[in-house]
Amino acid sequence: MKTIGILGIQGAIEEHEASIRRLGLNTLWVKGAEDLKKIDGIILPGGESTSMGKQLEWFGLMAPLRKAIAGGMPAFGTCAGMILLAKDIEGSTQTRIGLMDILVRRNAYGSQLDSFVTDLKVKGLKAPLPAVFIRAPRIESYGPEVEVLASYKSHPVLVREKNLLAASFHPELTESTALHRYFTEMI
Ligand code: GLN
């Protein structure tokens, strides 16, 4: 059976875990490099991307994680997780995994108080996908290998590039497991 790792540093770890468990798959909180050997794919939850990046370095996890993902391990970044995957972050030199050919702008949808929920039409999914935006990043531009799976107000908010999937929003904070299923089918 597939085991989905969830980066166990901060953010909505339990919620992602619950979504994956509802699909009947194993989960493992990834806290050290040795955990990477036990998983088939990894979810990078939301949180605070600057602090997550620093902690990845402190735990000695940044280099091995980058190597595993660059080597083809499927990775799904949500919100701050998307920022960690991005090659380019507008106006920031913060440390990142940096493997996805997207340019993101942090907090582009406003503050915590501006959080909102909307239904997205997603390529490949039949039903509309409920999406929770919390201090979400916006994708300002993207490379030729990046496929846009959903947009909100003409900006992409769900994108895929080979083994990488990234969402500006939090799919784990809704009842829908459709996007988690999509990710596990990439494995
Ligand atoms: N604004 C946060 C950041 O820049 C992301 C917010 C979130 O993950 N909900 O890291």
mmCIF file of all heavy atoms in Angstrom, residues 45-50 78-81 83 94 106-107 134-137 170, ligand 1:
data_model
loop_
_atom_site.group_PDB
_atom_site.id
_atom_site.type_symbol
_atom_site.label_atom_id
_atom_site.label_comp_id
_atom_site.label_asym_id
_atom_site.label_seq_id
_atom_site.Cartn_x
_atom_site.Cartn_y
_atom_site.Cartn_z
ATOM 1 N N PRO A 45 2.462 20.949 3.638
ATOM 2 C CA PRO A 45 1.273 21.678 4.068
ATOM 3 C C PRO A 45 1.470 23.189 4.057
ATOM 4 O O PRO A 45 2.583 23.681 3.879
ATOM 5 C CB PRO A 45 1.042 21.205 5.502
ATOM 6 C CG PRO A 45 2.023 20.132 5.773
ATOM 7 C CD PRO A 45 3.112 20.264 4.748
ATOM 8 N N GLY A 46 0.370 23.888 4.328
ATOM 9 C CA GLY A 46 0.439 25.331 4.506
ATOM 10 C C GLY A 46 1.058 25.645 5.859
ATOM 11 O O GLY A 46 1.296 24.754 6.672
ATOM 12 N N GLY A 47 1.339 26.889 6.102
ATOM 13 C CA GLY A 47 1.980 27.323 7.337
ATOM 14 C C GLY A 47 2.630 28.653 7.043
ATOM 15 O O GLY A 47 2.018 29.515 6.413
ATOM 16 N N GLU A 48 3.857 28.799 7.441
ATOM 17 C CA GLU A 48 4.605 30.030 7.144
ATOM 18 C C GLU A 48 5.859 29.600 6.390
ATOM 19 O O GLU A 48 6.736 28.956 6.960
ATOM 20 C CB GLU A 48 4.933 30.743 8.457
ATOM 21 C CG GLU A 48 5.462 32.134 8.279
ATOM 22 C CD GLU A 48 4.478 33.036 7.525
ATOM 23 O OE1 GLU A 48 3.274 33.014 7.811
ATOM 24 O OE2 GLU A 48 4.939 33.756 6.611
ATOM 25 N N SER A 49 5.919 29.942 5.120
ATOM 26 C CA SER A 49 6.974 29.386 4.266
ATOM 27 C C SER A 49 8.380 29.790 4.701
ATOM 28 O O SER A 49 9.317 28.995 4.571
ATOM 29 C CB SER A 49 6.734 29.777 2.812
ATOM 30 O OG SER A 49 6.697 31.185 2.675
ATOM 31 N N THR A 50 8.531 31.008 5.259
ATOM 32 C CA THR A 50 9.871 31.438 5.684
ATOM 33 C C THR A 50 10.353 30.544 6.836
ATOM 34 O O THR A 50 11.482 30.043 6.817
ATOM 35 C CB THR A 50 9.858 32.902 6.169
ATOM 36 O OG1 THR A 50 8.737 33.091 7.019
ATOM 37 C CG2 THR A 50 9.782 33.863 5.011
ATOM 38 N N THR A 78 0.714 22.804 -0.694
ATOM 39 C CA THR A 78 -0.488 23.621 -0.540
ATOM 40 C C THR A 78 -0.114 24.918 0.173
ATOM 41 O O THR A 78 0.523 24.887 1.225
ATOM 42 C CB THR A 78 -1.592 22.869 0.256
ATOM 43 O OG1 THR A 78 -1.108 22.560 1.560
ATOM 44 C CG2 THR A 78 -1.977 21.582 -0.438
ATOM 45 N N CYS A 79 -0.504 26.025 -0.408
ATOM 46 C CA CYS A 79 -0.287 27.354 0.160
ATOM 47 C C CYS A 79 1.202 27.589 0.455
ATOM 48 O O CYS A 79 1.989 27.699 -0.482
ATOM 49 C CB CYS A 79 -1.201 27.558 1.359
ATOM 50 S SG CYS A 79 -1.526 29.291 1.693
ATOM 51 N N ALA A 80 1.621 27.629 1.715
ATOM 52 C CA ALA A 80 3.056 27.809 1.976
ATOM 53 C C ALA A 80 3.871 26.704 1.302
ATOM 54 O O ALA A 80 5.008 26.926 0.879
ATOM 55 C CB ALA A 80 3.327 27.815 3.482
ATOM 56 N N GLY A 81 3.287 25.505 1.183
ATOM 57 C CA GLY A 81 3.963 24.394 0.502
ATOM 58 C C GLY A 81 4.208 24.708 -0.962
ATOM 59 O O GLY A 81 5.220 24.308 -1.542
ATOM 60 N N ILE A 83 4.684 27.750 -2.059
ATOM 61 C CA ILE A 83 5.767 28.753 -2.045
ATOM 62 C C ILE A 83 7.124 28.039 -1.925
ATOM 63 O O ILE A 83 8.077 28.395 -2.609
ATOM 64 C CB ILE A 83 5.554 29.758 -0.886
ATOM 65 C CG1 ILE A 83 4.236 30.517 -1.088
ATOM 66 C CG2 ILE A 83 6.731 30.730 -0.785
ATOM 67 C CD1 ILE A 83 3.773 31.314 0.133
ATOM 68 N N GLN A 94 14.099 34.146 0.432
ATOM 69 C CA GLN A 94 13.931 33.124 1.448
ATOM 70 C C GLN A 94 14.311 31.741 0.925
ATOM 71 O O GLN A 94 14.173 31.451 -0.265
ATOM 72 C CB GLN A 94 12.471 33.108 1.937
ATOM 73 C CG GLN A 94 11.481 32.587 0.908
ATOM 74 C CD GLN A 94 10.035 32.853 1.326
ATOM 75 O OE1 GLN A 94 9.549 33.988 1.300
ATOM 76 N NE2 GLN A 94 9.325 31.806 1.705
ATOM 77 N N ARG A 106 3.614 36.176 -2.459
ATOM 78 C CA ARG A 106 3.039 35.765 -1.169
ATOM 79 C C ARG A 106 1.941 36.737 -0.731
ATOM 80 O O ARG A 106 1.970 37.919 -1.036
ATOM 81 C CB ARG A 106 4.130 35.725 -0.091
ATOM 82 C CG ARG A 106 5.203 34.687 -0.389
ATOM 83 C CD ARG A 106 6.305 34.753 0.634
ATOM 84 N NE ARG A 106 5.817 34.475 1.970
ATOM 85 C CZ ARG A 106 6.446 34.851 3.075
ATOM 86 N NH1 ARG A 106 7.567 35.545 2.998
ATOM 87 N NH2 ARG A 106 5.939 34.562 4.249
ATOM 88 N N ASN A 107 0.990 36.195 0.005
ATOM 89 C CA ASN A 107 -0.082 36.985 0.627
ATOM 90 C C ASN A 107 -0.813 37.879 -0.378
ATOM 91 O O ASN A 107 -1.286 38.967 -0.023
ATOM 92 C CB ASN A 107 0.489 37.845 1.761
ATOM 93 C CG ASN A 107 1.193 36.999 2.802
ATOM 94 O OD1 ASN A 107 0.699 35.944 3.183
ATOM 95 N ND2 ASN A 107 2.351 37.428 3.245
ATOM 96 N N ILE A 134 -6.261 31.163 2.514
ATOM 97 C CA ILE A 134 -5.844 31.838 3.747
ATOM 98 C C ILE A 134 -4.460 32.458 3.510
ATOM 99 O O ILE A 134 -3.489 31.726 3.358
ATOM 100 C CB ILE A 134 -5.765 30.849 4.933
ATOM 101 C CG1 ILE A 134 -7.096 30.111 5.122
ATOM 102 C CG2 ILE A 134 -5.366 31.581 6.222
ATOM 103 C CD1 ILE A 134 -7.014 28.914 6.072
ATOM 104 N N ARG A 135 -4.386 33.755 3.467
ATOM 105 C CA ARG A 135 -3.111 34.445 3.174
ATOM 106 C C ARG A 135 -2.383 33.740 2.021
ATOM 107 O O ARG A 135 -1.204 33.403 2.078
ATOM 108 C CB ARG A 135 -2.227 34.514 4.425
ATOM 109 C CG ARG A 135 -2.876 35.337 5.533
ATOM 110 C CD ARG A 135 -1.921 35.716 6.642
ATOM 111 N NE ARG A 135 -1.249 34.570 7.202
ATOM 112 C CZ ARG A 135 0.063 34.380 7.179
ATOM 113 N NH1 ARG A 135 0.854 35.261 6.628
ATOM 114 N NH2 ARG A 135 0.591 33.316 7.714
ATOM 115 N N ALA A 136 -3.140 33.523 0.974
ATOM 116 C CA ALA A 136 -2.693 32.637 -0.111
ATOM 117 C C ALA A 136 -1.729 33.326 -1.070
ATOM 118 O O ALA A 136 -1.812 34.530 -1.288
ATOM 119 C CB ALA A 136 -3.921 32.145 -0.877
ATOM 120 N N PRO A 137 -0.826 32.518 -1.644
ATOM 121 C CA PRO A 137 0.059 33.053 -2.687
ATOM 122 C C PRO A 137 -0.654 33.036 -4.041
ATOM 123 O O PRO A 137 -1.554 32.218 -4.258
ATOM 124 C CB PRO A 137 1.213 32.052 -2.698
ATOM 125 C CG PRO A 137 0.596 30.763 -2.247
ATOM 126 C CD PRO A 137 -0.527 31.123 -1.312
ATOM 127 N N HIS A 170 -6.168 25.649 0.460
ATOM 128 C CA HIS A 170 -6.102 24.516 1.400
ATOM 129 C C HIS A 170 -7.209 23.508 1.079
ATOM 130 O O HIS A 170 -8.331 23.665 1.553
ATOM 131 C CB HIS A 170 -6.299 25.015 2.831
ATOM 132 C CG HIS A 170 -5.181 25.846 3.352
ATOM 133 N ND1 HIS A 170 -4.202 25.345 4.180
ATOM 134 C CD2 HIS A 170 -4.864 27.140 3.144
ATOM 135 C CE1 HIS A 170 -3.329 26.291 4.470
ATOM 136 N NE2 HIS A 170 -3.710 27.396 3.846
HETATM 137 N N1 GLN B 1 1.301 33.534 3.729
HETATM 138 C C1 GLN B 1 1.970 32.304 4.103
HETATM 139 C C2 GLN B 1 3.400 32.299 3.579
HETATM 140 O O1 GLN B 1 3.782 33.178 2.912
HETATM 141 C C3 GLN B 1 1.200 31.109 3.568
HETATM 142 C C4 GLN B 1 -0.125 31.003 4.238
HETATM 143 C C5 GLN B 1 -0.675 29.616 4.326
HETATM 144 O O2 GLN B 1 0.026 28.628 4.121
HETATM 145 N N2 GLN B 1 -1.943 29.527 4.669
HETATM 146 O O3 GLN B 1 4.136 31.414 3.863
#
